[in-house]
Amino acid sequence: MLRTVHLTVVYRDREVIREASLSIEPGKFIGVIGPNASGKSTLLKTMARLLKPLSGVIYIDGKELEKMNSQEVAKKIGVVLTEKIQSGLLTSFEIVAMGRYQYTGPFARLSQRDKLVIEESLRSTGALPLADRKFSELSDGEKQRVMIARALAQEPSILILDEPTTHLDARGRVEIMLLLRKLSREKKIAIIASTHDIELAIRLCDKLLVCNAGTIRIY
């Protein structure tokens, strides 16, 4: 479970979310919606410990997020952001293998179990046929499936995605949102995704977090 208590987050010295207390349970697909500059991305990055809150506490499975080390966080939270990665000549399999870094030790050697987890992550996102293809040659929709697979390879209990349907056409947006809902149920993980596609979020998410004027309302 992810829980926030009186969480206040800032963006460029401006409070965008104030005193937010909420709980997100395993197996739920949560949509985060709201106007531009309402704090959606800042909230998600704070939940992922990429940004520090101004005040308040975030708990992951009952433990304070700020008191967890980086390896513990990586095993609990998978993150997919909108920023494009520099993949060079890496294959999709190698991209997803990056999600195992907290398990492989200093020499990054993949065990047989690591390889099985990577393959299963690719299979779960429908990206297994892309495993040997160069990531840079994939379509935007294919790349997003691989990036979700990379986060799944961390074996997290929480998956956080910032605008996962950006740059996708209408069919691609529906497919990714349906995939996220399926993964939340099959993997029994909490999936939290911000989106501008309000209609899809209403139809497919279990709950909506609506960010507006510094507050969060839950529907």
Side-chain angles (χ1 to χ4, degrees):
M1 177 182 288
L2 183 150
R3 185 165 65 95
T4 72
V5 180
H6 303 308
L7 186 69
T8 297
V9 302
V10 296
Y11 178 71
R12 293 181 178 174
D13 299 323
R14 179 175 67 89
E15 291 185 5
V16 289
I17 301 291
R18 291 187 294 273
E19 295 286 319
S21 296
L22 53 93
S23 296
I24 296 173
E25 300 172 353
K28 299 296 183 182
F29 180 26
I30 309 299
V32 182
I33 62 175
N36 288 333
S38 61
K40 300 186 298 296
S41 294
T42 304
L43 173 66
L44 294 187
K45 289 178 180 179
T46 303
M47 287 179 172
R49 212 175 73 168
L50 299 175
L51 295 174
K52 285 192 174 184
L54 180 65
S55 61
V57 185
I58 302 171
Y59 295 94
I60 304 292
D61 295 334
K63 190 170 183 179
E64 284 189 39
L65 183 61
E66 284 299 313
K67 294 183 179 179
M68 298 168 67
N69 62 41
S70 297
Q71 189 175 51
E72 287 178 302
V73 173
K75 289 181 178 181
K76 289 290 185 180
I77 304 174
V79 183
V80 180
L81 302 177
T82 54
E83 290 85 352
K84 293 186 177 181
I85 66 169
Q86 300 299 317
S87 60
L89 299 177
L90 295 177
T91 65
S92 296
F93 185 94
E94 290 167 333
I95 292 290
V96 177
M98 292 178 180
R100 298 298 296 171
Y101 72 91
Q102 70 275 16
Y103 297 97
T104 55
F107 300 106
R109 292 173 180 166
L110 296 175
S111 68
Q112 187 59 34
R113 185 178 184 280
D114 291 324
K115 294 175 182 177
L116 289 174
V117 171
I118 293 166
E119 289 179 4
E120 176 56 29
S121 298
L122 285 161
R123 184 179 295 108
S124 295
T125 61
L128 189 57
L130 308 174
D132 296 325
R133 290 180 57 189
K134 291 179 182 176
F135 182 80
S136 60
E137 297 175 352
L138 303 182
S139 69
D140 286 335
E142 290 170 337
K143 286 179 178 176
Q144 194 64 295
R145 288 177 181 272
V146 172
M147 295 305 293
I148 295 170
R150 185 178 77 162
L152 286 180
Q154 296 174 220
E155 298 183 281
S157 56
I158 299 160
L159 184 57
I160 294 175
L161 306 98
D162 188 20
E163 298 289 350
T165 58
T166 299
H167 309 307
L168 303 184
D169 59 18
R171 178 176 177 178
R173 292 196 298 271
V174 172
E175 288 178 348
I176 290 297
M177 292 292 280
L178 284 171
L179 171 64
L180 294 174
R181 186 176 72 168
K182 179 173 79 76
L183 291 173
S184 68
R185 285 150 173 71
E186 290 182 352
K187 304 290 185 181
K188 304 299 182 186
I189 61 177
I191 295 184
I192 311 164
S194 63
T195 180
H196 286 293
D197 201 326
I198 296 175
E199 182 180 348
L200 267 182
I202 291 171
R203 288 172 54 195
L204 298 179
C205 294
D206 297 305
K207 290 183 180 180
L208 295 177
L209 304 183
V210 182
C211 303
N212 192 28
T215 65
I216 295 179
R217 294 185 182 275
I218 305 174
Y219 295 94

